[in-house]
Amino acid sequence: MEQILLKKNDKLAIEGGVPTFVEPITPGVSGPSVVDEEEINAVTELLRNQQLFRHRESSETALMEKEAAKFIGVEYSLMVNSGTSALICALTGVGVGPGDEVIVPGYTFIATASAVIATGAVPVIAEIDESLGLNPNDVEKKITPYTKAIVPAHMRGVPGRLDQLLETARNHNLRVVEDCCQSVGAEYKGRKVGTMGDAGAWSLNYFKTISAGEGGLMYTNDRDIFERACLASDPGLPMWQAADHVAEWHNEPFPRQTYRASEVLAAIARVQLGKIDQIVNHQRSLKNAFLSKLDESRNYIQQYVEDPSGDTGVSASIILHDKEMAIGYAHALQAEGVDVATVYNDGFPDRHIYSYWDAILEKRSPHPTGYPWNDPAYKGNVEYSKDMCPQTLDILSRTLRFDFHMNMSREQAGLIGDALNKVDYVLG
């Protein structure tokens, strides 16, 4: 594929110049873009053996749990059917339930807040900052006598401000469940994300670092949390425990929903786990190629990344000084052949932004009682509105996100950086 890179003082493509990318970059994602015969053979062998139930000796699910725990560096892990389910099980594991409030960021998938509701607790939405993760200062303001836990979401491969958030949690005796669904494989100061709080959660959804199409993983070093999470995942678990990898239970069983993982998903996930270093290393090389090309700018700042060596490299973000400038940059970059847009603007229904969580903002309940907000156990009074986190909306309206994936080359990532320099030079 021949690429033509123009000098900074040449005409922008949006003004009639030759675009940076003559041909579009081949689309791609993370894990699914490296699926090959290995995943196909793993599923084929499983189907031939006709062993499709997880509660059996040496099941694919049990092996995935063991291998993932070793990779993450924890004692216990539980595979379930989605990242949302992993969060629900983790929250149940740490004791979240009716009457509790849980602080979540205003920039995360709606599932983060929905998982809180699924436990019977009430989500409290807090501001983000230039890390695009929870703002520790606003978290401090949102703590009430009913706060039980904090859920930092490590968005788009970049860990949040964990040190400050963990300190806040310790000072207020709060639990921390790390939402690592978008940062599978990321690290924070030498440790895998999800291992510094009380529990962590992965997603194995199509768009994640490694993927089985769907699936999730909850993990912890706390035996009690793990047991409660296991019981929350499968109401029939006591009937299967003799065949399960858990030898002895210390918690009395309690009935909950079924979030059992599929053996087919586990078979795919095990193969993908073996490719995680390949994926993360390539994405990091792409991000480094992009960042190394950037000239110093007076018009934007880069997303604050507390531990640059630890993120998965799946994205890079810049934050312009105002919304109109960000929109102008986005249009100019699109004309250059770069797939980019502002994270938040009118008419862009991104469910990763709280203002589009209509079902939560309007406190819609599956039951006429208005559960969980009107649960008699809940004594708080949380109110929501689309403009309740103005700092979050302001930052996201000025943020451009550049994505990197397994079908992209280092040369292409560098050219994206060159295109940004060109636009910045002309429009700035």
Side-chain angles (χ1 to χ4, degrees):
M1 180 190 302
E2 181 184 2
Q3 307 293 342
I4 298 177
L5 175 64
L6 303 183
K7 297 178 182 178
K8 289 191 295 184
N9 57 352
D10 284 333
K11 185 181 292 187
L12 293 176
I14 200 171
E15 297 173 343
V18 179
T20 301
F21 288 90
V22 177
E23 298 179 25
I25 298 173
T26 302
V29 283
S30 297
S33 291
V34 296
V35 168
D36 57 25
E37 291 299 314
E38 197 175 357
E39 286 90 346
I40 294 170
N41 292 338
V43 173
T44 302
E45 184 66 21
L46 180 68
L47 294 174
R48 284 194 176 124
N49 292 335
Q50 299 181 1
Q51 297 290 335
L52 300 178
F53 190 48
R54 76 146 290 169
H55 291 299
R56 60 184 177 86
E57 187 175 353
S58 298
S59 69
E60 291 293 318
T61 305
L63 290 171
M64 173 60 186
E65 290 167 342
K66 181 178 179 180
E67 292 159 7
K70 181 178 179 181
F71 172 80
I72 297 167
V74 291
E75 290 291 325
Y76 311 106
S77 74
L78 168 71
M79 186 173 176
V80 288
N81 59 4
S82 72
T84 309
S85 299
L87 285 168
I88 294 169
C89 292
L91 288 163
T92 302
V94 301
V96 170
D100 295 330
E101 292 177 353
V102 177
I103 298 175
V104 302
Y107 180 44
T108 181
F109 188 49
I110 189 173
T112 308
S114 297
V116 173
I117 293 170
T119 68
V122 171
V124 173
I125 304 170
E127 297 271 23
I128 65 166
D129 57 23
E130 286 77 8
S131 70
L132 304 188
L134 269 177
N135 182 333
N137 295 329
D138 195 52
V139 168
E140 189 84 38
K141 296 176 184 177
K142 297 290 172 67
I143 294 172
T144 74
Y146 315 109
T147 308
K148 179 77 172 188
I150 301 170
V151 183
H154 306 305
M155 290 293 290
R156 300 297 301 165
V158 179
R161 297 180 187 264
L162 270 177
D163 279 349
Q164 289 175 266
L165 292 169
L166 290 170
E167 181 180 7
T168 297
R170 284 192 297 268
N171 291 340
H172 294 273
N173 195 30
L174 303 177
R175 296 290 202 164
V176 176
V177 172
E178 296 180 57
D179 182 344
C180 310
C181 292
Q182 296 204 13
S183 294
V184 174
E187 296 182 353
Y188 182 81
K189 299 185 178 179
R191 295 173 58 182
K192 293 290 191 297
V193 291
T195 64
M196 284 147 282
D198 295 286
W202 277 8
S203 171
L204 302 171
N205 175 269
Y206 175 79
F207 298 99
K208 304 306 188 288
T209 309
I210 59 173
S211 174
E214 293 292 350
L217 192 84
M218 171 271 166
Y219 51 97
T220 181
N221 279 311
D222 188 300
R223 172 72 185 199
D224 185 67
I225 293 173
F226 173 66
E227 284 194 12
R228 288 176 53 80
C230 287
L231 293 167
S233 75
D234 188 344
L237 186 60
M239 292 184 284
W240 313 115
Q241 60 181 314
D244 202 8
H245 61 290
V246 178
E248 182 180 351
W249 296 101
H250 303 132
N251 283 269
E252 289 291 328
F254 51 82
R256 287 299 296 267
Q257 293 85 355
T258 297
Y259 303 125
R260 252 196 325 263
S262 157
E263 280 287 272
V264 173
L265 298 185
I268 299 170
R270 287 186 65 206
V271 177
Q272 287 268 297
L273 184 62
K275 298 179 179 181
I276 193 167
D277 288 337
Q278 169 197 348
I279 295 167
V280 172
N281 289 340
H282 182 65
Q283 290 176 170
R284 285 174 175 164
S285 74
L286 297 176
K287 184 168 183 175
N288 289 336
F290 167 77
L291 293 176
S292 68
K293 285 295 188 79
L294 298 188
D295 295 333
E296 187 175 351
S297 175
R298 293 177 297 177
N299 306 306
Y300 66 80
I301 60 171
Q302 293 183 27
Q303 173 188 2
Y304 175 75
V305 181
E306 198 158 63
D307 182 6
S309 66
D311 86 57
T312 67
V314 73
S315 73
S317 295
I318 63 169
I319 305 172
L320 279 295
H321 295 326
D322 63 66
K323 177 179 179 179
E324 289 69 28
M325 180 180 286
I327 293 172
Y329 272 52
H331 290 163
L333 284 164
Q334 289 165 5
E336 297 295 332
V338 178
D339 184 16
V340 69
T342 54
V343 176
Y344 170 75
N345 55 59
D346 294 338
F348 185 68
D350 186 342
R351 291 288 170 175
H352 292 85
I353 305 173
Y354 82 90
S355 58
Y356 292 108
W357 302 347
D358 293 343
I360 292 173
L361 298 185
E362 296 173 13
K363 297 183 179 179
R364 297 178 194 163
S365 172
H367 194 270
T369 58
Y371 166 95
W373 295 276
N374 293 338
D375 191 309
Y378 180 52
K379 307 303 181 184
N381 183 30
V382 171
E383 296 297 334
Y384 308 115
S385 68
K386 286 185 178 291
D387 59 357
M388 65 181 289
C389 293
Q391 181 182 15
T392 296
L393 298 182
D394 173 59
I395 290 171
L396 295 178
S397 74
R398 297 183 285 114
T399 298
L400 299 183
R401 191 186 76 209
F402 301 84
D403 292 334
F404 309 108
H405 54 76
M406 298 306 292
N407 291 336
M408 185 183 291
S409 68
R410 282 182 54 85
E411 177 190 15
Q412 290 170 329
L415 284 172
I416 294 173
D418 288 331
L420 176 56
N421 289 336
K422 175 183 172 185
V423 169
D424 187 51
Y425 181 86
V426 175
L427 296 187

